[in-house]
Amino acid sequence: MEEEKKINLVVFTREYPVGMASTKRIQHLLDYLKSRDVMIKILAFRGNLPQPEMNGTYNDIPYQNIGHGIKLSFSQTGKVLSYYINGFKSIAQSKRKGWKNIVYKAGGLNIENILFFIWAKLLGYKMVMTIEEDYSFFSDNIKLISRFKFWTTRKLDFLNCKWADEIIVISYYLKNKYQKKGVSNITLIPITARINFNDNKKTFNKPLQVVYAGTFADKDGVNDIISGFLEFKKSYKEAILILTGKSAQQEKYKEKYRNESDLLFKGFVEDKDFYPLLRDSDVLCMCRTESGFANAGFPFKLGEYLATGNPVICTKVSDVEYYLDENDVYLIEPGKPQQITGALLSIVNDPDKARARGMRGLEKCRKYFSAETNGQIFLDVLKRM
């Protein structure tokens, strides 16, 4: 019987080790794979967030930032050429003779990364694509170059089906979509989260701390959260709404509500401060809108919210009701800020019931969204390739 080859996984990503929700999701999975003797290397292409080092290790996993901060413009032609050359070199150097070499990438193909994928295919790598969104629904008002990139993501989607040896999706909508396209090797792996529970916390803060974390994208329903909170404040004075995340949209909200002293716009919060903030706050809001884009994916932050054991207000979008019910979270209809107000009032009027509901949400997080459960599913995908 032929001995099973060891797995060498090369991860293509944008930001590493500091990153947004998608980065944290893959980090949780990689930590599990590392404990199962999978060799891993991270190649981060053209990130923008400040990193502790351009090349280093994070949780004993080596990473390399390539082309960090470079803009894809004619004025930086030399840097762009160097970016691709260095990327090609790193992909080749990351391959291991006699191992099962696999490239993993979240987000599928676009105009920027397609050359790296072609090169990896020519070198003999197997390919795993994770699809987390359906950009045919994307309509946010963003920069022209970003709109063009998302347009190419839509147009090149057929190559995901042809080139990927395995496709991982985050929702049942996406699973059905790619099955209809004829993809047979497809696996659903939802969000992942690390338990972040404060067992010593027995009462709510004064003032009550309500938190939203995200990119302030249209699908996030930030307007609804703010409207519902401000209405709640008319009945319950001692409360603040903390909004974390950095984007052009965030700046617009910050300007619009500059006179609201109980709305605290924190911007980008580093992990060392962000996870204690979630853990030690009182109510967490995931209030996505009723839109094709929101329903196609799955809210990354929901897992991190549930992992705290705090009460969560959550809209009925995507696969949320497949995993959660009224016993676990405060389920509300999307686009209904008055229901956010009602949920907040229910929480402060019956804190014991709210805490109990948060604890049941924590148990659902352990059941469906743990790194161990989903990491094993991911490992099984890699082994069968």
Side-chain angles (χ1 to χ4, degrees):
M1 184 176 177
E2 186 178 351
E3 183 179 353
E4 185 178 11
K5 288 184 178 180
K6 293 183 178 180
I7 298 171
N8 177 44
L9 183 67
V10 181
V11 178
F12 290 4
T13 189
R14 180 72 185 269
E15 309 283 0
Y16 209 88
V18 176
M20 306 301 256
S22 183
T23 300
K24 302 312 297 184
R25 176 177 186 251
I26 188 59
Q27 281 175 343
H28 297 325
L29 295 174
L30 296 182
D31 288 343
Y32 179 84
L33 295 182
K34 184 69 176 178
S35 72
R36 296 299 183 270
D37 298 323
V38 175
M39 183 65 66
I40 303 166
K41 184 174 183 181
I42 313 292
L43 300 181
F45 293 98
R46 213 173 59 81
N48 287 313
L49 293 176
Q51 301 295 342
E53 295 178 286
M54 289 298 101
N55 304 305
T57 59
Y58 180 81
N59 288 353
D60 296 323
I61 297 174
Y63 67 88
Q64 178 182 356
N65 276 278
I66 302 166
H68 189 272
I70 289 177
K71 306 295 183 184
L72 296 183
S73 65
F74 289 113
S75 63
Q76 296 194 13
T77 300
K79 290 182 178 180
V80 171
L81 288 174
S82 178
Y83 160 60
Y84 278 100
I85 291 169
N86 290 335
F88 294 150
K89 286 181 179 178
S90 296
I91 293 167
Q93 291 168 355
S94 299
K95 189 179 179 187
R96 289 176 170 265
K97 187 176 181 180
W99 290 54
K100 184 190 294 185
N101 293 285
I102 302 172
V103 162
Y104 169 90
K105 173 66 174 72
L109 294 167
N110 59 49
I111 191 66
E112 179 180 351
N113 64 36
I114 189 170
L115 293 179
F116 294 132
F117 275 93
I118 292 172
W119 179 236
K121 290 284 285 185
L122 290 173
L123 291 173
Y125 281 93
K126 297 285 188 181
M127 314 297 287
V128 180
M129 306 277 197
T130 288
I131 309 298
E132 298 167 341
E133 310 282 5
D134 185 344
Y135 284 101
S136 65
F137 293 114
F138 189 76
S139 60
D140 284 17
N141 184 20
I142 56 175
K143 293 179 181 178
L144 180 61
I145 186 65
S146 297
R147 288 205 301 272
F148 174 69
K149 188 173 178 179
F150 288 140
W151 179 82
T152 66
T153 300
R154 295 196 300 269
K155 295 300 180 182
L156 294 175
D157 188 47
F158 75 100
L159 290 178
N160 294 326
C161 304
K162 290 180 178 293
W163 288 0
D165 298 282
E166 294 279 348
I167 288 182
I168 294 171
V169 295
I170 199 170
S171 69
Y172 281 99
Y173 166 88
L174 291 170
K175 184 175 183 179
N176 292 334
K177 173 184 175 179
Y178 285 95
Q179 284 177 335
K180 290 176 181 177
K181 288 175 176 282
V183 177
S184 56
N185 295 332
I186 185 167
T187 303
L188 193 156
I189 301 179
I191 53 177
T192 58
R194 291 286 185 200
I195 301 305
N196 183 29
F197 174 60
N198 180 2
D199 190 43
N200 294 320
K201 184 181 177 187
K202 306 300 181 184
T203 60
F204 290 147
N205 294 293
K206 289 186 178 181
L208 185 81
Q209 295 182 12
V210 183
V211 172
Y212 157 82
T215 61
F216 293 78
D218 291 350
K219 64 178 171 57
D220 284 2
V222 178
N223 267 325
D224 294 337
I225 295 172
I226 293 175
S227 297
F229 173 79
L230 292 177
E231 187 63 27
F232 163 71
K233 279 281 294 178
K234 294 177 182 178
S235 301
Y236 191 91
K237 303 298 183 184
E238 290 189 86
I240 56 174
L241 174 59
I242 301 170
L243 303 103
T244 73
K246 183 72 174 175
S247 69
Q249 291 96 317
Q250 183 254 6
E251 293 296 333
K252 293 177 182 178
Y253 279 106
K254 189 175 180 180
E255 174 61 22
K256 180 179 179 180
Y257 293 103
R258 65 184 182 278
N259 295 324
E260 295 288 350
S261 60
D262 293 322
L263 302 186
L264 307 182
F265 291 88
K266 294 289 190 179
F268 178 76
V269 180
E270 294 186 5
D271 287 354
K272 65 181 179 64
D273 299 315
F274 177 70
Y275 289 102
L277 171 65
L278 293 187
R279 182 180 64 238
D280 297 332
S281 293
D282 301 307
V283 184
L284 306 170
C285 294
M286 193 297 294
C287 299
R288 281 192 170 191
T289 60
E290 179 64 39
S291 67
F293 193 57
N295 281 313
F298 193 85
F300 285 116
K301 283 291 184 290
L302 181 57
E304 295 180 339
Y305 290 176
L306 295 170
T308 67
N310 290 323
V312 176
I313 301 173
C314 179
T315 48
K316 301 175 184 178
V317 295
S318 185
D319 295 340
V320 165
E321 291 180 277
Y322 178 83
Y323 301 105
L324 304 169
D325 59 35
E326 283 283 1
N327 292 313
D328 313 312
V329 296
Y330 288 82
L331 282 174
I332 63 172
E333 299 295 333
K336 302 285 186 181
Q338 66 272 23
Q339 293 189 13
I340 298 174
T341 303
L344 288 169
L345 288 170
S346 295
I347 289 167
V348 297
N349 287 334
D350 196 341
D352 291 338
K353 183 177 180 180
R355 292 289 292 171
R357 196 176 297 200
M359 291 302 297
R360 288 191 292 270
L362 175 62
E363 291 308 309
K364 287 291 183 72
C365 181
R366 288 192 172 105
K367 181 177 180 179
Y368 294 117
F369 307 134
S370 75
E372 292 73 23
T373 297
N374 293 327
Q376 184 58 51
I377 296 172
F378 190 21
L379 180 59
D380 291 341
V381 169
L382 301 178
K383 283 183 173 181
R384 72 170 178 249
M385 293 177 68

